[in-house]
Amino acid sequence: MSDVPDADGGLSPLPGTTPSEMFPVLTSAQQARILAHGQRRTVKKDEIVVELNAHVTKVFVVVSGQLHILQVSNNQEHDVAICNAGMFTGELNVLLGRRGLVRIRAAEKSELIEIEREALQALVETDSELSDIFLRAYILRRLELIAREVGDIVLIGSGHSLDTLRIKEFLTRNYQPYSYIDLERDAQVQEMLDRFSLSIDDLPVLICRGTAVLRNPSNEEITGCLGFNEGIDQAHVRDLIIVGAGPAGLAAAVYAASEGLNVLVLESNAPGGQAGASSKIENYLGFPTGISGHELAGRAYAQAQKFGAEMLIAKDAKGLACARRPYAVLIGDGQHIPARTVVIASGAQYRRLRLENLSKFEGAGIYYGATHLEAQLCDGEEVIVVGGGNSAGQAAVFLAQTTRRVYVLVRSDGLAATMSRYLIRRIEETPNIELRSNTEVVVLDGNDHLERVTWRNNQSGQTELHNIAHLFSMTGAVPNSAWLGGCVACDEVGFIKTGLDLTTEDLAKAKWPLKRPPYLLETSLPGVFAVGDIRGGNLKRVASAVGEGSIAVSFVHQVLAE
Ligand SMILES: Cc1cc2nc3c(=O)[nH]c(=O)nc-3n(C[C@H](O)[C@H](O)[C@H](O)COP(=O)(O)OP(=O)(O)OC[C@H]3O[C@@H](n4cnc5c(N)ncnc54)[C@H](O)[C@@H]3O)c2cc1C
């Protein structure tokens, strides 16, 4: 990629995109529609219209003149892109209401249309032509910034550290551009450590906004430093709080916000849920060549923001105050956020293998997702995938592309009862995937990182020791419902009961107060719904999670009208 902005405004774009998609030129009719929601402004040569790290509250359309989009590091400005006449500023941060990653400076005296973020949001909700143009440009620009590592976030860590992997995943899944310096591979490390008076023991370290130095920060601390949750009022009563931003929660957010409800989403980690850990979802309607969970979640996240849904990231729902009206969701720091209705979309979590020293190797050889981040760590090596479901099948097929050999270990006789036919066929047709049935892992061994794995064939009793340093654990999931503290009726394993699955006894026990029975997807608490993987009887698919999230919103309207 060239580092010199071209005359079309953008840098050489990502493969498959064109500069005109990333930096489209608005027609005079389109500019007039924007002006109706904004105002004209003249800026002098060298005037800064957007400062690095300031909250992005405005967007500018260049009527005449030129704006330079600049990356700033060590007080030096470098061109990222140029906005010529007809082009507009901004990227995903405008919709997310977050701090800017770049500085924008007038290259010459320029005539601009200035539009406030809220006015732009209102405009794109009603003007579908401009909505498409802005949304496409903003998503492409963010991808470009990520590809170029633009921004002032630097992570220094090690490929063998669980916390480094956690932070990388958190930043990646929140679409935050960052630069990564690997302790073991990069000569720059010592220089960076010296500059910020750090020792190797402090790693992983996140240098945030060029100055703040966070030593092994929690996801919540990173969120605080990057200002992800700033400006979200936690006091006023929402029409709807959605707990969880997996496919079910994001679908509920898109439908609720687009239908005018005041909606807040709480997400304990990053948008995308389990689907975000999927390298390629091939059975979701409308994507014949498949789509990565990360990309699907990114689109849904931008869509929810476009309609004005608010989202608190790295914020756990700790409980539900279910005896009061309106309800209130308790969050980490003891605060309550009140809401008239609640959609529980907190999904499920991976089952962990019962092995003595498992936690020692989690992130240091044991992984629960198979995305390109993990694939990079085991390039050209032998790996193990444990599990016989679709997620295990996908992981095996994906990893087989870049690793030497993939052993798939299942305790059952084979895959037929648990995996989709198309994945079984792929596994059979991939020469470097080896299926071992009736087999389970019995010993993990290594120092700082997994080095050796022993497995046993439960029919023959024979054990095998392999020098394998990467094991992908894909053995199903348990529901994330403990935080509800018994507020809603659940089945014996913790999945939430809804609608017709609630028995007369369940409702009597829960003191169901209404004459009407619970709606479809409604729990034993009126106005509290459960959707997606957390719900008993759900099919554990992206499509069913999305479907349920959207259906629940129609019942939310009915409850609000009662
Ligand atoms: C590797 C993998 C591959 C898959 N591939 C496919 C596929 O190809 N096709 C398919 O149809 N399905 C696939 N699935 C299944 C699919 O991803 C799930 O069915 C789907 O993600 C369920 O969506 P959900 O929103 O209900 O829950 P989840 O995706 O589990 O999302 C729940 C969200 O809630 C958050 N959360 C949990 N507790 C709290 C709390 N207390 N407070 C706030 N937030 C909380 C979590 O962080 C998470 O983001 C796959 C799953 C995995 C793991």
Side-chain angles (χ1 to χ4, degrees):
M1 277 192 219
S2 148
D3 263 359
V4 183
D6 60 35
D8 287 338
L11 292 165
S12 327
L14 293 165
T17 65
T18 62
S20 60
E21 284 177 317
M22 214 178 342
F23 286 89
V25 176
L26 299 173
T27 63
S28 48
Q30 288 164 341
Q31 290 183 35
R33 298 210 300 273
I34 295 172
L35 182 58
H37 294 258
Q39 58 186 29
R40 287 219 180 242
R41 176 168 158 189
T42 306
V43 290
K44 299 193 293 273
K45 179 175 181 331
D46 287 335
E47 190 172 333
I48 293 175
V49 294
V50 173
E51 186 49 290
L52 177 73
N53 273 327
H55 277 288
V56 187
T57 58
K58 296 181 172 103
V59 170
F60 299 94
V61 179
V62 181
V63 179
S64 66
Q66 195 176 67
L67 296 178
H68 275 196
I69 319 288
L70 303 160
Q71 179 178 13
V72 186
S73 60
N74 296 334
N75 286 329
Q76 300 284 314
E77 292 180 343
H78 310 278
D79 277 318
V80 174
I82 288 175
C83 272
N84 289 317
M87 297 177 184
F88 54 88
T89 64
E91 55 93 40
L92 214 50
N93 269 0
V94 174
L95 297 178
L96 306 181
R98 291 187 187 161
R99 294 169 188 273
L101 301 171
V102 291
R103 175 181 288 163
I104 304 180
R105 189 193 279 286
E108 57 193 68
K109 184 182 172 202
S110 304
E111 289 292 324
L112 309 176
I113 299 170
E114 175 183 285
I115 177 167
E116 297 287 335
R117 174 177 169 261
E118 289 74 20
L120 177 74
Q121 237 161 356
L123 175 64
V124 296
E125 274 174 35
T126 51
D127 189 321
S128 63
E129 188 191 27
L130 286 175
S131 168
D132 286 354
I133 294 171
F134 273 84
L135 207 57
R136 188 171 52 227
Y138 282 2
I139 291 172
L140 291 175
R141 287 177 193 180
R142 173 52 69 105
L143 293 176
E144 187 72 22
L145 292 177
I146 292 173
R148 296 181 156 273
E149 301 180 356
V150 169
D152 46 6
I153 312 287
V154 182
L155 175 65
I156 309 171
S158 153
H160 297 312
S161 128
L162 176 60
D163 284 309
T164 303
L165 188 65
R166 168 182 60 80
I167 296 173
K168 280 173 96 171
E169 271 181 5
F170 183 71
L171 294 171
T172 305
R173 290 185 58 175
N174 277 294
Y175 310 93
Q176 178 66 39
Y178 68 97
S179 318
Y180 174 61
I181 299 178
D182 194 310
L183 172 67
E184 275 107 41
R185 295 189 192 174
D186 207 309
Q188 277 179 294
V189 174
Q190 200 54 52
E191 187 197 317
M192 284 296 279
L193 294 180
D194 292 346
R195 215 171 77 195
F196 289 92
S197 314
L198 292 164
S199 79
I200 299 256
D201 296 338
D202 292 320
L203 297 181
V205 160
L206 189 77
I207 298 168
C208 174
R209 297 208 228 128
T211 49
V213 177
L214 307 179
R215 292 164 172 82
N216 195 10
S218 66
N219 292 351
E220 199 165 356
E221 285 171 306
I222 299 172
T223 304
C225 185
L226 297 177
F228 283 180
N229 295 337
E230 284 171 1
I232 296 184
D233 177 3
Q234 299 181 11
H236 84 264
V237 183
R238 301 294 203 293
D239 293 328
L240 170 64
I241 288 186
I242 298 167
V243 178
L250 287 170
V254 167
Y255 279 83
S258 68
E259 290 166 16
L261 298 182
N262 178 327
V263 50
L264 175 72
V265 185
L266 294 180
E267 168 51 56
S268 56
N269 187 15
Q274 296 169 73
S278 170
S279 47
K280 202 167 192 189
I281 299 169
E282 292 198 54
N283 54 0
Y284 188 55
L285 189 73
F287 295 93
T289 54
I291 181 166
S292 78
H294 183 60
E295 198 184 340
L296 185 67
R299 290 175 186 217
Y301 185 37
Q303 202 175 6
Q305 304 279 347
K306 175 184 110 168
F307 289 118
E310 292 181 297
M311 198 167 302
L312 284 174
I313 296 292
K315 197 56 105 179
D316 272 342
K318 297 277 189 202
L320 181 64
C322 45
R324 48 163 279 177
R325 298 292 182 281
Y327 296 115
V329 178
L330 318 183
I331 54 173
D333 38 16
Q335 282 173 289
H336 295 58
I337 310 184
R340 294 184 190 91
T341 63
V342 178
V343 166
I344 302 166
S346 47
Q349 237 176 26
Y350 296 102
R351 263 194 203 105
R352 298 169 78 234
L353 296 174
R354 289 201 188 153
L355 291 166
E356 201 186 314
N357 48 0
L358 179 79
S359 55
K360 177 177 168 190
F361 298 116
E362 282 176 319
I366 304 280
Y367 315 101
Y368 294 94
T371 67
H372 71 278
L373 280 179
E374 289 82 12
Q376 276 169 9
L377 300 174
C378 45
D379 196 20
E381 297 183 39
E382 290 195 332
V383 303
I384 297 168
V385 172
V386 177
N390 279 356
S391 57
Q394 283 173 9
V397 171
F398 172 66
L399 292 165
Q401 294 167 18
T402 50
T403 59
R404 188 146 46 88
R405 176 171 305 279
V406 181
Y407 292 99
V408 177
L409 309 189
V410 287
R411 281 196 301 197
S412 60
D413 277 345
L415 301 173
T418 48
M419 195 180 285
S420 296
R421 187 67 219 144
Y422 82 93
L423 278 170
I424 298 179
R425 217 170 36 239
R426 291 265 172 87
I427 288 178
E428 287 165 355
E429 286 165 2
T430 308
N432 61 336
I433 301 182
E434 207 170 296
L435 175 67
R436 299 295 183 99
S437 311
N438 303 301
T439 300
E440 68 181 301
V441 175
V442 286
V443 180
L444 302 173
D445 197 10
N447 289 313
D448 294 342
H449 195 277
L450 181 66
E451 291 167 26
R452 288 169 295 280
V453 177
T454 307
W455 65 64
R456 181 183 59 219
N457 182 305
N458 287 334
Q459 278 188 333
S460 65
Q462 204 179 350
T463 58
E464 283 178 45
L465 172 69
H466 287 256
N467 291 330
I468 293 183
H470 305 278
L471 184 153
F472 292 80
S473 178
M474 303 280 180
T475 52
V478 284
N480 289 321
S481 56
W483 66 274
L484 285 156
C487 267
V488 296
C490 293
D491 66 16
E492 56 292 346
V493 279
F495 289 100
I496 300 174
K497 288 183 160 189
T498 56
L500 290 175
D501 289 345
L502 287 158
T503 60
T504 320
E505 296 80 62
D506 289 328
L507 294 178
K509 201 170 157 205
K511 300 193 176 66
W512 177 259
L514 305 178
K515 285 215 177 86
R516 66 162 178 83
Y519 292 125
L520 185 75
L521 307 176
E522 195 171 23
T523 67
S524 56
L525 265 182
V528 176
F529 298 83
V531 294
D533 277 16
I534 188 81
R535 196 180 68 78
N538 165 279
L539 281 176
K540 314 282 176 281
R541 293 275 186 278
V542 173
S544 53
V546 167
E548 291 182 11
S550 59
I551 293 167
V553 172
S554 66
F555 294 110
V556 165
H557 285 293
Q558 295 193 35
V559 170
L560 291 173
E562 272 172 2

